[in-house]
Amino acid sequence: MAITDKRSPWQDEFSVPSISDLRMDLPVPAAELFDVARDFLNAREGILESLRWYGDCWFWAVTYFLEGEDTAEDEPVAIIVPAPDNLQIAAPLDQEFVSQLNTRRMKRAIRDGLELASEPYSTKWAVWPVTAKNMLDEVTALLTQRMNWLQGT
């Protein structure tokens, strides 16, 4: 009997997966949160969904860009990382945006994700694990603020 080393569609750099392929690898609670996150981002006016390879860190991610941006060159508004063991949402955040946020009223998990996009870290990517609906609600509220800020509304 041969042992097959079937790679997850999420990790296979050489084969662009479908979104349903990525969803299929998620456990049921994470798949439901994945659907809610996608619905939220796809419902936003002026946002386009695509897939992008992010290397050995995030592998394939569902990316969201402002309409009219060059999806090959520009940074996304947000990404959903469909890691089977750790569903995440990440977003590149400008210091100008982060500095105007009132973080005192935010939950600890949201502040922790924001810290990754601040000094002394050398990245501007904020990252949040999405483990429950209330956490997703907090992240989407922050993403709404960011998209309003980016779109000047």
Side-chain angles (χ1 to χ4, degrees):
M1 183 197 278
I3 298 175
T4 58
D5 183 25
K6 184 168 179 348
R7 180 173 245 180
S8 163
W10 173 62
Q11 294 176 308
D12 187 354
E13 176 181 5
F14 303 106
S15 179
V16 179
S18 68
I19 290 176
S20 61
D21 288 339
L22 296 174
R23 186 188 186 284
M24 191 170 44
D25 272 358
L26 297 170
V28 171
E32 291 169 355
L33 293 169
F34 177 80
D35 292 342
V36 172
R38 283 190 63 230
D39 290 346
F40 162 76
L41 288 160
N42 283 318
R44 180 71 186 220
E45 180 98 16
I47 300 293
L48 301 175
E49 179 183 74
S50 67
L51 292 172
R52 182 184 273 185
W53 176 256
Y54 280 93
D56 290 339
C57 178
W58 289 329
F59 302 104
W60 285 105
V62 185
T63 60
Y64 297 87
F65 293 92
L66 290 175
E67 202 167 60
E69 300 288 320
D70 179 358
T71 59
E73 298 292 325
D74 292 323
E75 287 183 330
V77 172
I79 68 173
I80 301 173
V81 181
D85 60 342
N86 186 16
L87 179 67
Q88 300 173 355
I89 294 180
L93 302 179
D94 302 278
Q95 278 306 116
E96 184 181 351
F97 172 74
V98 173
S99 68
Q100 58 91 32
L101 292 172
N102 180 2
T103 57
R104 283 184 277 158
R105 302 189 95 190
M106 292 180 181
K107 291 186 177 176
R108 176 81 179 152
I110 299 299
R111 289 192 317 261
D112 287 348
L114 283 172
E115 285 177 6
L116 295 172
S118 305
E119 293 292 334
Y121 299 103
S122 61
T123 179
K124 62 186 199 173
W125 282 90
V127 182
W128 300 277
V130 180
T131 55
K133 176 75 167 79
N134 63 341
M135 179 63 178
L136 180 58
D137 291 343
E138 296 287 327
V139 172
T140 57
L142 180 63
L143 290 177
T144 297
Q145 286 182 357
R146 176 151 191 274
M147 289 184 286
N148 289 342
W149 185 77
L150 287 170
Q151 294 173 320
T153 58

